Amino acid sequence: MTHVTESAPRREETPQHPEFEAAVAGGALTSEGPGSQHRYRNLVLGGIGILLFALAMLTSYSSAFGNPTPNNVHLAVAGNADTIVALEQQGSLDLTVVSSEAKARAAVLDREVDGAVVLPPAGENAVVTTYIASGAGRGLGQAVSGIGDSIAQRLKTTSTTTDLAPLPKKDPVGSIEFYAILFAGLGAALGATVFGRILGTVDTSSRFVERSIVLVLYTGALAGLITLWIDTALGAVTVNPGAVFAVLWLTGLAIGGAVTGVAALGGTLAALLTTLALVILGNTSSGGPLGIHLLNDFFQALYYVFPQGDSLDLLRSVQYFDGAAISGPIIRLAIWAVAGILLTLIAMLIRSRKEAATRLKGAGHRNEDFLRATASPASYADLAALDKPAEVTA
């Protein structure tokens, strides 16, 4: 008689070699790898995906920036009452009537309006005075200036334009701020996605704290590098660099936190899709160098959905308007950050309940085995057999 005892399969130790770790991660990084198993099918699918992404980028950016037209421009007007009444009857402008030229200027500097037009009384030396703020968007400033010129032509008089928030000489187009926000958001979103793959799913309180610390430190470093570049290399910072750093850091925390929450709930694929939406729709709906009120109604509606518009407005308020009208953008960015935290906590709660249900189900099976073993005269022998390795007699 030969007795062969079956025991639990021995768990093989994972070899701690770089080659093995690279293979687990998808292949060594020093080559392109052996290629896909279904070469041509995946080639077609991958090509279609890239083409659709490129087409989405082209469609979004060309639709937003290709034909800038004044849309929902808000103007303060003061002066000749008859002319103001005529302007209000047109219905093409959003007008706020103020009592004096000083209040019209103040409304522009407080970011209550996009520009102001002071209408003179009828006379030979009448001049239409237009106040713009290029810091709120160069294209928007040019559009407001053009509105003032057209009013002067209707009144058959001359016009003059004063820029109350001019752009710096080293950033005459106002594009550097847009790119700063663009790459702060993109870097935060990609960082949150990559960190999720490296550190693993946030499923415990310790991992939640770990990911939060990593995100705070990373976005701080990202904001610091961007601020250093646009200040020292480009000379585009007009105020204390610390204020610009704070805006970029808040942007990174809001976007990175939101993507972290999405990844915790829906995985890496959901995080990548969120990042694509931010790149394709979020950047364009911010208005870029043009300003939000040169976009169509679709992108103006998206301005309140994605965070880049608030970040850009906040940065412009700090740079050119002495911190005017910053509460709204800060609140909306904070909502994005808090939403990320809530999504992460919800994902942790869902996983915790699933694990508890699995443990309870496993305990139920063990109880059934115990009751089955104790239900016969040979109960003790059966119970002992549950923990004893099986023996095979040859």
Side-chain angles (χ1 to χ4, degrees):
M1 289 283 184
T2 302
H3 297 278
V4 179
T5 301
E6 291 184 358
S7 58
R10 185 177 179 180
R11 184 177 180 180
E12 296 182 0
E13 296 294 331
T14 302
Q16 300 299 320
H17 299 293
E19 295 81 2
F20 179 81
E21 294 175 356
V24 172
L29 299 180
T30 54
S31 70
E32 292 183 308
S36 174
Q37 183 177 0
H38 305 283
R39 293 161 56 87
Y40 296 108
R41 184 198 69 181
N42 292 342
L43 177 68
V44 172
L45 293 177
I48 291 175
I50 295 172
L51 290 174
L52 290 176
F53 172 70
L55 182 61
M57 290 282 289
L58 173 63
T59 303
S60 178
Y61 279 74
S62 61
S63 299
F65 302 143
N67 184 28
T69 304
N71 185 22
N72 299 320
V73 176
H74 191 185
L75 296 180
V77 293
N80 188 292
D82 293 336
T83 306
I84 292 175
V85 171
L87 289 174
E88 289 177 329
Q89 290 176 347
Q90 291 181 9
S92 59
L93 298 174
D94 186 5
L95 303 180
T96 296
V97 180
V98 295
S99 58
S100 65
E101 182 175 351
K103 290 185 177 181
R105 289 171 54 96
V108 176
L109 292 173
D110 292 339
R111 305 210 70 184
E112 296 174 358
V113 294
D114 302 311
V117 178
V118 180
L119 304 169
E124 294 183 0
N125 297 323
V127 177
V128 174
T129 302
T130 305
Y131 292 104
I132 67 173
S134 296
R138 181 173 179 265
L140 179 60
Q142 292 175 334
V144 173
S145 179
I147 292 172
D149 292 340
S150 65
I151 293 174
Q153 289 178 359
R154 274 186 237 155
L155 297 177
K156 297 180 179 180
T157 185
T158 58
S159 64
T160 181
T161 299
T162 301
D163 195 343
L164 299 179
L167 292 164
K169 292 181 179 180
K170 293 189 177 181
D171 186 22
V173 180
S175 59
I176 293 177
E177 293 145 350
F178 170 61
Y179 290 127
I181 295 298
L182 187 156
F183 288 108
L186 180 60
L190 291 178
T193 303
V194 171
F195 295 152
R197 299 298 298 177
I198 295 174
L199 299 177
T201 301
V202 180
D203 52 4
T204 63
S205 57
S206 60
R207 285 197 172 188
F208 177 79
V209 173
E210 176 190 53
R211 187 72 66 83
S212 299
I213 293 174
V214 169
L215 187 62
V216 168
L217 294 177
Y218 168 72
T219 54
L222 178 64
L225 290 174
I226 295 175
T227 304
L228 183 65
W229 173 255
I230 65 176
D231 183 29
T232 59
L234 303 180
V237 175
T238 63
V239 293
N240 186 338
V244 175
F245 166 77
V247 173
L248 296 176
W249 197 1
L250 177 58
T251 299
L253 287 173
I255 294 177
V259 172
T260 298
V262 170
L265 195 61
T268 302
L269 179 60
L272 289 174
L273 292 176
T274 302
T275 301
L276 289 178
L278 287 166
V279 171
I280 296 173
L281 298 175
N283 291 331
T284 50
S285 62
S286 71
L290 300 178
I292 183 64
H293 288 139
L294 292 185
L295 305 181
N296 57 37
D297 291 337
F298 173 74
F299 286 102
Q300 285 188 7
L302 290 180
Y303 168 87
Y304 296 99
V305 176
F306 293 95
Q308 288 98 319
D310 288 311
S311 298
L312 187 55
D313 261 0
L314 182 58
L315 183 56
R316 285 169 171 164
S317 292
V318 168
Q319 282 260 77
Y320 306 110
F321 297 93
D322 197 25
I326 64 173
S327 58
I330 289 177
I331 291 173
R332 287 190 289 271
L333 288 173
I335 289 174
W336 269 75
V338 172
I341 295 174
L342 292 177
L343 287 176
T344 304
L345 294 177
I346 290 172
M348 290 172 59
L349 178 62
I350 292 174
R351 288 191 185 90
S352 176
R353 289 188 173 183
K354 285 184 178 179
E355 291 174 359
T358 301
R359 288 195 298 268
L360 184 62
K361 185 177 181 180
H365 287 316
R366 288 193 295 271
N367 290 336
E368 289 178 3
D369 292 338
F370 177 79
L371 293 175
R372 191 179 301 112
T374 57
S376 64
S379 58
Y380 291 106
D382 294 339
L383 181 61
L386 293 175
D387 294 324
K388 184 178 180 181
E391 294 185 353
V392 178
T393 302

